[in-house]
Amino acid sequence: YLDDHDMFNRALAQATTAQSNGAIPNYFDAKGECQESGRDQGHAQMGLAFLGQACQIAWTQNVDLYATADNRLAKGCEYICQYNLGHDVPYTPYKSIAGKNFFPNISPKSRGQFSSIYEKIYHHYHDVEHLPMPFTQQVIQKMRPEGEITNSFLPWGTLTFANLPSD
């Protein structure tokens, strides 16, 4: 699997153009709302984390998955951060590709409980692409250094991605 071009290309197609809920353009709508926003904020952050990791893996292979659907991952990150920082966000009830999982309202469950997932995404869009990420930046400033280590997310985001000034 370490040099499997077909597997890599299938994963890229899944993340960009597949008719599935896991494709970036389907996971986040054009305004950044996540399909999991009505479920709970933990799942919204989990999907963001895993798609961010997929984008970073592709980036190391000289494929810009981060740019998919007009930087949809950045919009999703900002939406999730904005809501979890306590701001109102627009919400449209979501239905999956199959027409299931209807959530009539955005979920307050786990609101304001941030996972250690933002440094990598922020670094790419803000430091590399020079896009404004004001809500993500606020979350990072609240959390730095990322210290939560879980079985779900890769740790050490501040150490590996933060663009911190030297002493």
Side-chain angles (χ1 to χ4, degrees):
Y1 70 88
L2 293 177
D3 197 23
D4 188 332
H5 296 269
D6 290 336
M7 181 188 294
F8 182 78
N9 291 331
R10 283 192 313 272
L12 286 178
Q14 172 62 34
T16 57
T17 60
Q19 290 302 309
S20 76
N21 298 321
I24 293 169
N26 299 332
Y27 196 74
F28 300 104
D29 71 12
K31 68 181 180 292
E33 179 184 320
C34 174
Q35 66 169 288
E36 301 279 15
S37 295
R39 181 178 184 183
D40 61 61
Q41 299 311 303
H43 280 89
Q45 291 180 81
M46 181 176 63
L48 177 66
F50 293 149
L51 288 171
Q53 187 60 38
C55 288
Q56 187 61 34
I57 290 167
W59 183 256
T60 63
Q61 299 299 313
N62 297 313
V63 175
D64 189 0
L65 193 56
Y66 281 108
T68 300
D70 193 28
N71 299 313
R72 189 75 58 92
L73 187 74
K75 292 174 184 171
C77 188
E78 280 291 283
Y79 181 96
I80 289 169
C81 287
Q82 183 177 5
Y83 180 68
N84 281 284
L85 284 166
H87 302 284
D88 291 335
V89 293
Y91 180 77
T92 304
Y94 174 81
K95 285 190 181 183
S96 71
I97 293 292
K100 298 178 181 177
N101 299 328
F102 179 77
F103 299 112
N105 300 300
I106 194 166
S107 176
K109 186 175 180 187
S110 301
R111 187 177 188 184
Q113 296 176 13
F114 295 101
S115 297
S116 296
I117 62 170
Y118 295 99
E119 292 276 9
K120 177 188 314 119
I121 296 167
Y122 179 78
H123 169 71
H124 180 82
Y125 289 114
H126 184 266
D127 299 336
V128 175
E129 300 296 334
H130 307 290
L131 296 176
M133 300 284 289
F135 296 108
T136 307
Q137 184 177 36
Q138 288 176 46
V139 170
I140 286 171
Q141 289 171 343
K142 288 175 65 108
M143 296 182 66
R144 265 190 186 155
E146 282 186 350
E148 174 188 342
I149 297 177
T150 69
N151 292 332
S152 299
F153 309 118
L154 293 174
W156 309 301
T158 305
L159 178 66
T160 56
F161 291 100
N163 192 8
L164 298 172
S166 59
D167 289 335

